[in-house]
Amino acid sequence: DRSVNAYHCKAILMQKIGDKSAAVAARRKVTELAPSAAAYIDLANALRDGLGDKILWEPKGVEEQIVEALDAALSLPCDKKQHVWCWAEKLLRLQRIAHGRQSARRAGTPIEDGPALLRYCEATEIAVGMYPEDNWMSEKRDDAQLLKLSLPLL
């Protein structure tokens, strides 16, 4: 489809000239017009590229948007390499959200970190179940379990 190609080219051009928000908008349009695992992976990468080193743990923030794009990619047919990459990137994003929320709560920001920590734990269990031989995912599960132990008792 011509419009999908046009938005794809626009996303690449906007990325190259440094207009990251326009690149993300064009990637979103591609996912609307022609949803595919590859399109959602491109969107996740464009979002991540605009993030830099910042950890944005707020609800509906960039990290959350990346997780949403990865979940969309995982819900569509994709090859094993894409699947593993999506799970690894998702775990990394969930880890950043969980650690960021925990740090914010400990610093006095009135935010509940429990749901983010539990979501991270659940995702690591699923990923390790699918890829038991992957040591990196097992390390994320161990990190999630340690983080879960730090939850305040109610």
Side-chain angles (χ1 to χ4, degrees):
D1 180 292
R2 285 184 174 173
S3 57
V4 173
N5 287 337
Y7 279 106
H8 181 75
C9 290
K10 179 180 180 179
I12 293 168
L13 176 63
M14 293 298 103
Q15 197 76 32
K16 288 198 183 286
I17 65 171
D19 189 344
K20 294 176 185 201
S21 62
V24 167
R27 295 282 184 204
R28 284 191 196 284
K29 192 67 176 174
V30 170
T31 63
E32 291 171 20
L33 296 171
S36 69
Y40 281 107
I41 289 169
D42 286 345
L43 174 58
N45 280 322
L47 287 161
R48 184 182 69 187
D49 185 47
L51 184 61
D53 291 334
K54 297 177 283 185
I55 297 176
L56 303 175
W57 46 261
E58 72 279 355
K60 295 297 176 186
V62 177
E63 300 274 11
E64 292 279 356
Q65 293 173 45
I66 294 169
V67 172
E68 288 173 8
L70 296 168
D71 281 339
L74 288 166
S75 73
L76 296 166
C78 59
D79 63 33
K80 183 176 179 179
K81 183 178 177 182
Q82 289 174 318
H83 197 265
V84 172
W85 184 88
C86 285
W87 270 105
E89 188 66 20
K90 178 180 175 175
L91 294 185
L92 180 61
R93 297 296 142 193
L94 291 174
Q95 179 187 36
R96 290 168 55 97
I97 292 166
H99 279 278
R101 285 178 173 243
Q102 183 184 59
S103 295
R105 178 185 53 80
R106 287 183 173 169
T109 302
I111 188 163
E112 187 179 358
D113 58 344
L117 298 178
L118 296 176
R119 185 170 74 160
Y120 174 40
C121 286
E122 291 169 4
T124 62
E125 292 296 335
I126 293 168
V128 169
M130 284 189 286
Y131 299 104
E133 71 287 348
D134 191 307
N135 290 333
W136 187 87
M137 290 190 192
S138 294
E139 289 171 9
K140 294 300 168 211
R141 180 186 58 193
D142 295 345
D143 175 68
Q145 293 302 322
L146 284 173
L147 209 55
K148 187 176 176 182
L149 292 173
S150 70
L151 281 173
L153 298 175
L154 300 176

